[in-house]
Amino acid sequence: MTYEVIARGIVFLIFDEIDTGVSGRIADAMGDIISSLGENMQVVAITHLPQVASKGKSHFVVYKEQSTTHLTRLGEDDRITEIAKMLSGSQIT
């Protein structure tokens, strides 16, 4: 699903798991397209694909504790770890 929000003349695009059912070269191409859109506007992409996530400049992890949802911005080392988890599961190899 895609959302477009205009606030104070700035366009924000929010992609909510639009890459469902996509993998491999197509996922990599989608990551490139989303990244290029981000050069001219604010883009948020919610994804489980490392091919898409690795193209981003800022990364956040979303997690739940009981009934509360948390959003945490990742530093460079944590970003690399999270993308590695996407590639190999909870045990990073």
Side-chain angles (χ1 to χ4, degrees), residues 28-68:
D28 188 53
M30 286 181 76
D32 288 337
I33 291 166
I34 293 169
S35 179
S36 68
L37 288 170
E39 293 175 13
N40 299 308
M41 65 186 75
Q42 183 69 47
V43 177
V44 174
I46 301 164
T47 184
H48 295 279
L49 296 178
Q51 296 96 325
V52 174
S54 65
K55 311 284 175 140
K57 292 184 180 171
S58 295
H59 292 83
F60 298 82
V61 66
V62 179
Y63 61 96
K64 281 191 139 181
E65 287 180 346
Q66 297 176 2
S67 61
T68 305

PDB file of all heavy atoms in Angstrom, residues 28-68:
ATOM      1  N   ASP A  28      15.788  -5.923  -5.621  1.00  0.00           N
ATOM      2  CA  ASP A  28      16.923  -5.015  -5.729  1.00  0.00           C
ATOM      3  C   ASP A  28      16.562  -3.800  -6.584  1.00  0.00           C
ATOM      4  O   ASP A  28      16.880  -2.659  -6.224  1.00  0.00           O
ATOM      5  CB  ASP A  28      18.117  -5.753  -6.325  1.00  0.00           C
ATOM      6  CG  ASP A  28      19.388  -4.934  -6.296  1.00  0.00           C
ATOM      7  OD1 ASP A  28      19.743  -4.439  -5.208  1.00  0.00           O
ATOM      8  OD2 ASP A  28      20.016  -4.785  -7.350  1.00  0.00           O
ATOM      9  N   ALA A  29      15.865  -4.026  -7.694  1.00  0.00           N
ATOM     10  CA  ALA A  29      15.432  -2.918  -8.557  1.00  0.00           C
ATOM     11  C   ALA A  29      14.441  -2.017  -7.831  1.00  0.00           C
ATOM     12  O   ALA A  29      14.513  -0.785  -7.940  1.00  0.00           O
ATOM     13  CB  ALA A  29      14.819  -3.457  -9.847  1.00  0.00           C
ATOM     14  N   MET A  30      13.521  -2.608  -7.048  1.00  0.00           N
ATOM     15  CA  MET A  30      12.577  -1.802  -6.261  1.00  0.00           C
ATOM     16  C   MET A  30      13.323  -0.931  -5.265  1.00  0.00           C
ATOM     17  O   MET A  30      12.983   0.239  -5.075  1.00  0.00           O
ATOM     18  CB  MET A  30      11.580  -2.693  -5.515  1.00  0.00           C
ATOM     19  CG  MET A  30      10.522  -3.302  -6.390  1.00  0.00           C
ATOM     20  SD  MET A  30       9.381  -4.289  -5.426  1.00  0.00           S
ATOM     21  CE  MET A  30       8.417  -3.006  -4.656  1.00  0.00           C
ATOM     22  N   GLY A  31      14.344  -1.495  -4.621  1.00  0.00           N
ATOM     23  CA  GLY A  31      15.152  -0.722  -3.685  1.00  0.00           C
ATOM     24  C   GLY A  31      15.812   0.466  -4.361  1.00  0.00           C
ATOM     25  O   GLY A  31      15.845   1.566  -3.814  1.00  0.00           O
ATOM     26  N   ASP A  32      16.324   0.249  -5.574  1.00  0.00           N
ATOM     27  CA  ASP A  32      16.937   1.345  -6.326  1.00  0.00           C
ATOM     28  C   ASP A  32      15.920   2.432  -6.665  1.00  0.00           C
ATOM     29  O   ASP A  32      16.211   3.625  -6.550  1.00  0.00           O
ATOM     30  CB  ASP A  32      17.566   0.828  -7.623  1.00  0.00           C
ATOM     31  CG  ASP A  32      18.834   0.029  -7.384  1.00  0.00           C
ATOM     32  OD1 ASP A  32      19.471   0.215  -6.324  1.00  0.00           O
ATOM     33  OD2 ASP A  32      19.181  -0.792  -8.267  1.00  0.00           O
ATOM     34  N   ILE A  33      14.725   2.022  -7.075  1.00  0.00           N
ATOM     35  CA  ILE A  33      13.679   2.990  -7.436  1.00  0.00           C
ATOM     36  C   ILE A  33      13.251   3.803  -6.210  1.00  0.00           C
ATOM     37  O   ILE A  33      13.162   5.032  -6.270  1.00  0.00           O
ATOM     38  CB  ILE A  33      12.473   2.279  -8.073  1.00  0.00           C
ATOM     39  CG1 ILE A  33      12.869   1.727  -9.442  1.00  0.00           C
ATOM     40  CG2 ILE A  33      11.273   3.221  -8.180  1.00  0.00           C
ATOM     41  CD1 ILE A  33      11.878   0.738 -10.025  1.00  0.00           C
ATOM     42  N   ILE A  34      13.014   3.113  -5.109  1.00  0.00           N
ATOM     43  CA  ILE A  34      12.606   3.813  -3.884  1.00  0.00           C
ATOM     44  C   ILE A  34      13.716   4.760  -3.425  1.00  0.00           C
ATOM     45  O   ILE A  34      13.452   5.897  -3.028  1.00  0.00           O
ATOM     46  CB  ILE A  34      12.222   2.802  -2.786  1.00  0.00           C
ATOM     47  CG1 ILE A  34      10.958   2.045  -3.194  1.00  0.00           C
ATOM     48  CG2 ILE A  34      12.040   3.493  -1.440  1.00  0.00           C
ATOM     49  CD1 ILE A  34      10.638   0.847  -2.322  1.00  0.00           C
ATOM     50  N   SER A  35      14.955   4.312  -3.510  1.00  0.00           N
ATOM     51  CA  SER A  35      16.089   5.164  -3.134  1.00  0.00           C
ATOM     52  C   SER A  35      16.175   6.402  -4.016  1.00  0.00           C
ATOM     53  O   SER A  35      16.410   7.515  -3.523  1.00  0.00           O
ATOM     54  CB  SER A  35      17.384   4.361  -3.227  1.00  0.00           C
ATOM     55  OG  SER A  35      18.487   5.156  -2.889  1.00  0.00           O
ATOM     56  N   SER A  36      15.960   6.250  -5.309  1.00  0.00           N
ATOM     57  CA  SER A  36      16.023   7.407  -6.210  1.00  0.00           C
ATOM     58  C   SER A  36      14.883   8.387  -5.937  1.00  0.00           C
ATOM     59  O   SER A  36      15.068   9.595  -6.056  1.00  0.00           O
ATOM     60  CB  SER A  36      16.035   6.967  -7.675  1.00  0.00           C
ATOM     61  OG  SER A  36      14.802   6.408  -8.047  1.00  0.00           O
ATOM     62  N   LEU A  37      13.717   7.879  -5.539  1.00  0.00           N
ATOM     63  CA  LEU A  37      12.627   8.775  -5.155  1.00  0.00           C
ATOM     64  C   LEU A  37      13.030   9.617  -3.946  1.00  0.00           C
ATOM     65  O   LEU A  37      12.673  10.780  -3.839  1.00  0.00           O
ATOM     66  CB  LEU A  37      11.363   7.974  -4.818  1.00  0.00           C
ATOM     67  CG  LEU A  37      10.628   7.334  -5.970  1.00  0.00           C
ATOM     68  CD1 LEU A  37       9.550   6.392  -5.450  1.00  0.00           C
ATOM     69  CD2 LEU A  37      10.022   8.394  -6.878  1.00  0.00           C
ATOM     70  N   GLY A  38      13.799   9.010  -3.040  1.00  0.00           N
ATOM     71  CA  GLY A  38      14.236   9.692  -1.833  1.00  0.00           C
ATOM     72  C   GLY A  38      15.201  10.834  -2.068  1.00  0.00           C
ATOM     73  O   GLY A  38      15.464  11.618  -1.167  1.00  0.00           O
ATOM     74  N   GLU A  39      15.734  10.956  -3.274  1.00  0.00           N
ATOM     75  CA  GLU A  39      16.625  12.075  -3.580  1.00  0.00           C
ATOM     76  C   GLU A  39      15.869  13.390  -3.681  1.00  0.00           C
ATOM     77  O   GLU A  39      16.455  14.457  -3.510  1.00  0.00           O
ATOM     78  CB  GLU A  39      17.382  11.799  -4.876  1.00  0.00           C
ATOM     79  CG  GLU A  39      18.362  10.647  -4.750  1.00  0.00           C
ATOM     80  CD  GLU A  39      19.023  10.292  -6.062  1.00  0.00           C
ATOM     81  OE1 GLU A  39      18.912  11.076  -7.030  1.00  0.00           O
ATOM     82  OE2 GLU A  39      19.649   9.221  -6.119  1.00  0.00           O
ATOM     83  N   ASN A  40      14.562  13.331  -3.961  1.00  0.00           N
ATOM     84  CA  ASN A  40      13.771  14.543  -4.173  1.00  0.00           C
ATOM     85  C   ASN A  40      12.611  14.720  -3.200  1.00  0.00           C
ATOM     86  O   ASN A  40      11.901  15.715  -3.277  1.00  0.00           O
ATOM     87  CB  ASN A  40      13.212  14.556  -5.603  1.00  0.00           C
ATOM     88  CG  ASN A  40      14.322  14.560  -6.631  1.00  0.00           C
ATOM     89  OD1 ASN A  40      15.219  15.387  -6.558  1.00  0.00           O
ATOM     90  ND2 ASN A  40      14.284  13.630  -7.552  1.00  0.00           N
ATOM     91  N   MET A  41      12.405  13.746  -2.336  1.00  0.00           N
ATOM     92  CA  MET A  41      11.302  13.831  -1.375  1.00  0.00           C
ATOM     93  C   MET A  41      11.592  12.899  -0.211  1.00  0.00           C
ATOM     94  O   MET A  41      12.502  12.095  -0.269  1.00  0.00           O
ATOM     95  CB  MET A  41       9.977  13.460  -2.040  1.00  0.00           C
ATOM     96  CG  MET A  41       9.903  12.022  -2.496  1.00  0.00           C
ATOM     97  SD  MET A  41       8.417  11.618  -3.428  1.00  0.00           S
ATOM     98  CE  MET A  41       8.786  12.385  -4.982  1.00  0.00           C
ATOM     99  N   GLN A  42      10.811  13.023   0.826  1.00  0.00           N
ATOM    100  CA  GLN A  42      10.935  12.142   1.985  1.00  0.00           C
ATOM    101  C   GLN A  42      10.202  10.842   1.685  1.00  0.00           C
ATOM    102  O   GLN A  42       9.045  10.860   1.303  1.00  0.00           O
ATOM    103  CB  GLN A  42      10.334  12.804   3.224  1.00  0.00           C
ATOM    104  CG  GLN A  42      10.477  11.987   4.486  1.00  0.00           C
ATOM    105  CD  GLN A  42      11.915  11.908   4.932  1.00  0.00           C
ATOM    106  OE1 GLN A  42      12.605  12.908   4.971  1.00  0.00           O
ATOM    107  NE2 GLN A  42      12.361  10.722   5.270  1.00  0.00           N
ATOM    108  N   VAL A  43      10.890   9.703   1.852  1.00  0.00           N
ATOM    109  CA  VAL A  43      10.291   8.402   1.581  1.00  0.00           C
ATOM    110  C   VAL A  43      10.481   7.507   2.799  1.00  0.00           C
ATOM    111  O   VAL A  43      11.575   7.433   3.359  1.00  0.00           O
ATOM    112  CB  VAL A  43      10.940   7.729   0.343  1.00  0.00           C
ATOM    113  CG1 VAL A  43      10.361   6.342   0.119  1.00  0.00           C
ATOM    114  CG2 VAL A  43      10.760   8.595  -0.891  1.00  0.00           C
ATOM    115  N   VAL A  44       9.411   6.827   3.193  1.00  0.00           N
ATOM    116  CA  VAL A  44       9.465   5.824   4.246  1.00  0.00           C
ATOM    117  C   VAL A  44       9.046   4.508   3.606  1.00  0.00           C
ATOM    118  O   VAL A  44       7.977   4.432   2.996  1.00  0.00           O
ATOM    119  CB  VAL A  44       8.529   6.171   5.421  1.00  0.00           C
ATOM    120  CG1 VAL A  44       8.499   5.045   6.443  1.00  0.00           C
ATOM    121  CG2 VAL A  44       8.937   7.479   6.069  1.00  0.00           C
ATOM    122  N   ALA A  45       9.880   3.486   3.724  1.00  0.00           N
ATOM    123  CA  ALA A  45       9.556   2.166   3.178  1.00  0.00           C
ATOM    124  C   ALA A  45       9.560   1.153   4.309  1.00  0.00           C
ATOM    125  O   ALA A  45      10.577   0.980   4.979  1.00  0.00           O
ATOM    126  CB  ALA A  45      10.553   1.769   2.097  1.00  0.00           C
ATOM    127  N   ILE A  46       8.444   0.502   4.523  1.00  0.00           N
ATOM    128  CA  ILE A  46       8.336  -0.555   5.521  1.00  0.00           C
ATOM    129  C   ILE A  46       8.542  -1.865   4.777  1.00  0.00           C
ATOM    130  O   ILE A  46       7.780  -2.194   3.874  1.00  0.00           O
ATOM    131  CB  ILE A  46       6.957  -0.517   6.217  1.00  0.00           C
ATOM    132  CG1 ILE A  46       6.773   0.843   6.887  1.00  0.00           C
ATOM    133  CG2 ILE A  46       6.820  -1.668   7.196  1.00  0.00           C
ATOM    134  CD1 ILE A  46       5.350   1.165   7.266  1.00  0.00           C
ATOM    135  N   THR A  47       9.606  -2.582   5.126  1.00  0.00           N
ATOM    136  CA  THR A  47       9.978  -3.758   4.353  1.00  0.00           C
ATOM    137  C   THR A  47      10.578  -4.844   5.239  1.00  0.00           C
ATOM    138  O   THR A  47      11.061  -4.564   6.331  1.00  0.00           O
ATOM    139  CB  THR A  47      10.987  -3.382   3.245  1.00  0.00           C
ATOM    140  OG1 THR A  47      11.249  -4.536   2.446  1.00  0.00           O
ATOM    141  CG2 THR A  47      12.281  -2.846   3.820  1.00  0.00           C
ATOM    142  N   HIS A  48      10.533  -6.067   4.729  1.00  0.00           N
ATOM    143  CA  HIS A  48      11.229  -7.189   5.352  1.00  0.00           C
ATOM    144  C   HIS A  48      12.339  -7.691   4.432  1.00  0.00           C
ATOM    145  O   HIS A  48      12.958  -8.711   4.718  1.00  0.00           O
ATOM    146  CB  HIS A  48      10.253  -8.333   5.641  1.00  0.00           C
ATOM    147  CG  HIS A  48       9.216  -7.980   6.646  1.00  0.00           C
ATOM    148  ND1 HIS A  48       9.448  -8.007   7.999  1.00  0.00           N
ATOM    149  CD2 HIS A  48       7.940  -7.565   6.495  1.00  0.00           C
ATOM    150  CE1 HIS A  48       8.356  -7.639   8.634  1.00  0.00           C
ATOM    151  NE2 HIS A  48       7.429  -7.365   7.752  1.00  0.00           N
ATOM    152  N   LEU A  49      12.574  -6.993   3.329  1.00  0.00           N
ATOM    153  CA  LEU A  49      13.561  -7.432   2.351  1.00  0.00           C
ATOM    154  C   LEU A  49      14.894  -6.698   2.514  1.00  0.00           C
ATOM    155  O   LEU A  49      14.933  -5.469   2.473  1.00  0.00           O
ATOM    156  CB  LEU A  49      13.046  -7.204   0.924  1.00  0.00           C
ATOM    157  CG  LEU A  49      11.816  -7.999   0.519  1.00  0.00           C
ATOM    158  CD1 LEU A  49      11.406  -7.636  -0.891  1.00  0.00           C
ATOM    159  CD2 LEU A  49      12.100  -9.494   0.617  1.00  0.00           C
ATOM    160  N   PRO A  50      15.993  -7.426   2.661  1.00  0.00           N
ATOM    161  CA  PRO A  50      17.288  -6.776   2.791  1.00  0.00           C
ATOM    162  C   PRO A  50      17.685  -6.003   1.539  1.00  0.00           C
ATOM    163  O   PRO A  50      18.384  -5.001   1.620  1.00  0.00           O
ATOM    164  CB  PRO A  50      18.255  -7.933   3.067  1.00  0.00           C
ATOM    165  CG  PRO A  50      17.561  -9.148   2.573  1.00  0.00           C
ATOM    166  CD  PRO A  50      16.094  -8.886   2.736  1.00  0.00           C
ATOM    167  N   GLN A  51      17.223  -6.450   0.365  1.00  0.00           N
ATOM    168  CA  GLN A  51      17.554  -5.750  -0.875  1.00  0.00           C
ATOM    169  C   GLN A  51      16.979  -4.344  -0.878  1.00  0.00           C
ATOM    170  O   GLN A  51      17.560  -3.424  -1.440  1.00  0.00           O
ATOM    171  CB  GLN A  51      17.006  -6.496  -2.106  1.00  0.00           C
ATOM    172  CG  GLN A  51      17.598  -7.855  -2.318  1.00  0.00           C
ATOM    173  CD  GLN A  51      16.720  -8.953  -1.727  1.00  0.00           C
ATOM    174  OE1 GLN A  51      16.085  -8.783  -0.699  1.00  0.00           O
ATOM    175  NE2 GLN A  51      16.708 -10.099  -2.391  1.00  0.00           N
ATOM    176  N   VAL A  52      15.827  -4.169  -0.257  1.00  0.00           N
ATOM    177  CA  VAL A  52      15.189  -2.848  -0.178  1.00  0.00           C
ATOM    178  C   VAL A  52      15.762  -2.066   1.004  1.00  0.00           C
ATOM    179  O   VAL A  52      16.160  -0.912   0.864  1.00  0.00           O
ATOM    180  CB  VAL A  52      13.653  -2.984  -0.065  1.00  0.00           C
ATOM    181  CG1 VAL A  52      13.002  -1.624   0.160  1.00  0.00           C
ATOM    182  CG2 VAL A  52      13.090  -3.650  -1.324  1.00  0.00           C
ATOM    183  N   ALA A  53      15.849  -2.702   2.155  1.00  0.00           N
ATOM    184  CA  ALA A  53      16.311  -2.016   3.366  1.00  0.00           C
ATOM    185  C   ALA A  53      17.733  -1.485   3.227  1.00  0.00           C
ATOM    186  O   ALA A  53      18.043  -0.398   3.713  1.00  0.00           O
ATOM    187  CB  ALA A  53      16.222  -2.955   4.564  1.00  0.00           C
ATOM    188  N   SER A  54      18.578  -2.234   2.546  1.00  0.00           N
ATOM    189  CA  SER A  54      19.984  -1.831   2.451  1.00  0.00           C
ATOM    190  C   SER A  54      20.187  -0.555   1.654  1.00  0.00           C
ATOM    191  O   SER A  54      21.239   0.069   1.746  1.00  0.00           O
ATOM    192  CB  SER A  54      20.812  -2.955   1.831  1.00  0.00           C
ATOM    193  OG  SER A  54      20.418  -3.178   0.488  1.00  0.00           O
ATOM    194  N   LYS A  55      19.184  -0.125   0.885  1.00  0.00           N
ATOM    195  CA  LYS A  55      19.314   1.090   0.069  1.00  0.00           C
ATOM    196  C   LYS A  55      18.970   2.356   0.849  1.00  0.00           C
ATOM    197  O   LYS A  55      19.193   3.455   0.377  1.00  0.00           O
ATOM    198  CB  LYS A  55      18.396   1.024  -1.151  1.00  0.00           C
ATOM    199  CG  LYS A  55      18.470  -0.256  -1.943  1.00  0.00           C
ATOM    200  CD  LYS A  55      19.697  -0.330  -2.791  1.00  0.00           C
ATOM    201  CE  LYS A  55      19.749  -1.693  -3.458  1.00  0.00           C
ATOM    202  NZ  LYS A  55      20.189  -1.698  -4.787  1.00  0.00           N
ATOM    203  N   GLY A  56      18.426   2.199   2.059  1.00  0.00           N
ATOM    204  CA  GLY A  56      17.998   3.352   2.839  1.00  0.00           C
ATOM    205  C   GLY A  56      19.157   4.086   3.497  1.00  0.00           C
ATOM    206  O   GLY A  56      20.233   3.538   3.703  1.00  0.00           O
ATOM    207  N   LYS A  57      18.908   5.339   3.841  1.00  0.00           N
ATOM    208  CA  LYS A  57      19.925   6.161   4.515  1.00  0.00           C
ATOM    209  C   LYS A  57      19.715   6.191   6.025  1.00  0.00           C
ATOM    210  O   LYS A  57      20.668   6.317   6.774  1.00  0.00           O
ATOM    211  CB  LYS A  57      19.915   7.574   3.940  1.00  0.00           C
ATOM    212  CG  LYS A  57      20.406   7.606   2.510  1.00  0.00           C
ATOM    213  CD  LYS A  57      20.480   9.007   1.972  1.00  0.00           C
ATOM    214  CE  LYS A  57      20.968   8.967   0.537  1.00  0.00           C
ATOM    215  NZ  LYS A  57      20.877  10.252  -0.112  1.00  0.00           N
ATOM    216  N   SER A  58      18.490   6.137   6.474  1.00  0.00           N
ATOM    217  CA  SER A  58      18.162   6.089   7.904  1.00  0.00           C
ATOM    218  C   SER A  58      17.308   4.852   8.137  1.00  0.00           C
ATOM    219  O   SER A  58      16.422   4.556   7.346  1.00  0.00           O
ATOM    220  CB  SER A  58      17.375   7.326   8.333  1.00  0.00           C
ATOM    221  OG  SER A  58      18.156   8.473   8.208  1.00  0.00           O
ATOM    222  N   HIS A  59      17.590   4.156   9.219  1.00  0.00           N
ATOM    223  CA  HIS A  59      16.870   2.917   9.500  1.00  0.00           C
ATOM    224  C   HIS A  59      16.287   2.939  10.901  1.00  0.00           C
ATOM    225  O   HIS A  59      16.911   3.447  11.830  1.00  0.00           O
ATOM    226  CB  HIS A  59      17.800   1.715   9.342  1.00  0.00           C
ATOM    227  CG  HIS A  59      18.204   1.488   7.939  1.00  0.00           C
ATOM    228  ND1 HIS A  59      19.239   2.172   7.350  1.00  0.00           N
ATOM    229  CD2 HIS A  59      17.695   0.679   6.991  1.00  0.00           C
ATOM    230  CE1 HIS A  59      19.352   1.775   6.097  1.00  0.00           C
ATOM    231  NE2 HIS A  59      18.432   0.881   5.857  1.00  0.00           N
ATOM    232  N   PHE A  60      15.115   2.341  11.003  1.00  0.00           N
ATOM    233  CA  PHE A  60      14.410   2.210  12.269  1.00  0.00           C
ATOM    234  C   PHE A  60      13.980   0.761  12.419  1.00  0.00           C
ATOM    235  O   PHE A  60      13.697   0.096  11.432  1.00  0.00           O
ATOM    236  CB  PHE A  60      13.167   3.115  12.307  1.00  0.00           C
ATOM    237  CG  PHE A  60      13.488   4.575  12.194  1.00  0.00           C
ATOM    238  CD1 PHE A  60      13.715   5.168  10.956  1.00  0.00           C
ATOM    239  CD2 PHE A  60      13.559   5.368  13.330  1.00  0.00           C
ATOM    240  CE1 PHE A  60      14.017   6.518  10.844  1.00  0.00           C
ATOM    241  CE2 PHE A  60      13.859   6.717  13.229  1.00  0.00           C
ATOM    242  CZ  PHE A  60      14.083   7.293  11.985  1.00  0.00           C
ATOM    243  N   VAL A  61      13.917   0.297  13.626  1.00  0.00           N
ATOM    244  CA  VAL A  61      13.356  -1.024  13.894  1.00  0.00           C
ATOM    245  C   VAL A  61      12.068  -0.811  14.685  1.00  0.00           C
ATOM    246  O   VAL A  61      11.999   0.057  15.557  1.00  0.00           O
ATOM    247  CB  VAL A  61      14.360  -1.950  14.630  1.00  0.00           C
ATOM    248  CG1 VAL A  61      14.670  -1.438  16.013  1.00  0.00           C
ATOM    249  CG2 VAL A  61      13.859  -3.369  14.674  1.00  0.00           C
ATOM    250  N   VAL A  62      11.052  -1.588  14.331  1.00  0.00           N
ATOM    251  CA  VAL A  62       9.760  -1.525  15.004  1.00  0.00           C
ATOM    252  C   VAL A  62       9.580  -2.848  15.748  1.00  0.00           C
ATOM    253  O   VAL A  62       9.791  -3.914  15.182  1.00  0.00           O
ATOM    254  CB  VAL A  62       8.609  -1.334  13.988  1.00  0.00           C
ATOM    255  CG1 VAL A  62       7.272  -1.296  14.696  1.00  0.00           C
ATOM    256  CG2 VAL A  62       8.823  -0.068  13.166  1.00  0.00           C
ATOM    257  N   TYR A  63       9.229  -2.762  17.019  1.00  0.00           N
ATOM    258  CA  TYR A  63       9.017  -3.979  17.789  1.00  0.00           C
ATOM    259  C   TYR A  63       7.937  -3.739  18.839  1.00  0.00           C
ATOM    260  O   TYR A  63       7.611  -2.608  19.173  1.00  0.00           O
ATOM    261  CB  TYR A  63      10.321  -4.453  18.448  1.00  0.00           C
ATOM    262  CG  TYR A  63      10.915  -3.463  19.425  1.00  0.00           C
ATOM    263  CD1 TYR A  63      10.667  -3.569  20.788  1.00  0.00           C
ATOM    264  CD2 TYR A  63      11.721  -2.415  18.982  1.00  0.00           C
ATOM    265  CE1 TYR A  63      11.220  -2.660  21.684  1.00  0.00           C
ATOM    266  CE2 TYR A  63      12.275  -1.505  19.864  1.00  0.00           C
ATOM    267  CZ  TYR A  63      12.015  -1.640  21.210  1.00  0.00           C
ATOM    268  OH  TYR A  63      12.551  -0.734  22.086  1.00  0.00           O
ATOM    269  N   LYS A  64       7.365  -4.852  19.303  1.00  0.00           N
ATOM    270  CA  LYS A  64       6.307  -4.781  20.313  1.00  0.00           C
ATOM    271  C   LYS A  64       6.784  -5.377  21.618  1.00  0.00           C
ATOM    272  O   LYS A  64       7.498  -6.376  21.625  1.00  0.00           O
ATOM    273  CB  LYS A  64       5.070  -5.542  19.839  1.00  0.00           C
ATOM    274  CG  LYS A  64       4.232  -4.804  18.860  1.00  0.00           C
ATOM    275  CD  LYS A  64       2.919  -5.513  18.660  1.00  0.00           C
ATOM    276  CE  LYS A  64       1.866  -4.436  18.591  1.00  0.00           C
ATOM    277  NZ  LYS A  64       0.547  -4.944  18.427  1.00  0.00           N
ATOM    278  N   GLU A  65       6.381  -4.741  22.697  1.00  0.00           N
ATOM    279  CA  GLU A  65       6.530  -5.286  24.041  1.00  0.00           C
ATOM    280  C   GLU A  65       5.151  -5.267  24.645  1.00  0.00           C
ATOM    281  O   GLU A  65       4.574  -4.184  24.840  1.00  0.00           O
ATOM    282  CB  GLU A  65       7.506  -4.452  24.874  1.00  0.00           C
ATOM    283  CG  GLU A  65       8.954  -4.622  24.488  1.00  0.00           C
ATOM    284  CD  GLU A  65       9.882  -3.778  25.349  1.00  0.00           C
ATOM    285  OE1 GLU A  65       9.400  -2.868  26.059  1.00  0.00           O
ATOM    286  OE2 GLU A  65      11.090  -4.027  25.300  1.00  0.00           O
ATOM    287  N   GLN A  66       4.627  -6.448  24.884  1.00  0.00           N
ATOM    288  CA  GLN A  66       3.248  -6.613  25.337  1.00  0.00           C
ATOM    289  C   GLN A  66       2.330  -5.941  24.319  1.00  0.00           C
ATOM    290  O   GLN A  66       2.294  -6.347  23.173  1.00  0.00           O
ATOM    291  CB  GLN A  66       3.090  -6.105  26.759  1.00  0.00           C
ATOM    292  CG  GLN A  66       3.921  -6.884  27.749  1.00  0.00           C
ATOM    293  CD  GLN A  66       3.842  -6.335  29.143  1.00  0.00           C
ATOM    294  OE1 GLN A  66       3.142  -5.373  29.423  1.00  0.00           O
ATOM    295  NE2 GLN A  66       4.590  -6.948  30.044  1.00  0.00           N
ATOM    296  N   SER A  67       1.623  -4.899  24.680  1.00  0.00           N
ATOM    297  CA  SER A  67       0.704  -4.257  23.728  1.00  0.00           C
ATOM    298  C   SER A  67       1.217  -2.896  23.245  1.00  0.00           C
ATOM    299  O   SER A  67       0.493  -2.140  22.625  1.00  0.00           O
ATOM    300  CB  SER A  67      -0.676  -4.089  24.364  1.00  0.00           C
ATOM    301  OG  SER A  67      -0.577  -3.266  25.508  1.00  0.00           O
ATOM    302  N   THR A  68       2.484  -2.608  23.521  1.00  0.00           N
ATOM    303  CA  THR A  68       3.066  -1.329  23.135  1.00  0.00           C
ATOM    304  C   THR A  68       4.020  -1.506  21.962  1.00  0.00           C
ATOM    305  O   THR A  68       4.893  -2.373  21.990  1.00  0.00           O
ATOM    306  CB  THR A  68       3.837  -0.696  24.317  1.00  0.00           C
ATOM    307  OG1 THR A  68       2.961  -0.591  25.436  1.00  0.00           O
ATOM    308  CG2 THR A  68       4.367   0.680  23.964  1.00  0.00           C
TER     309      THR A  68
END
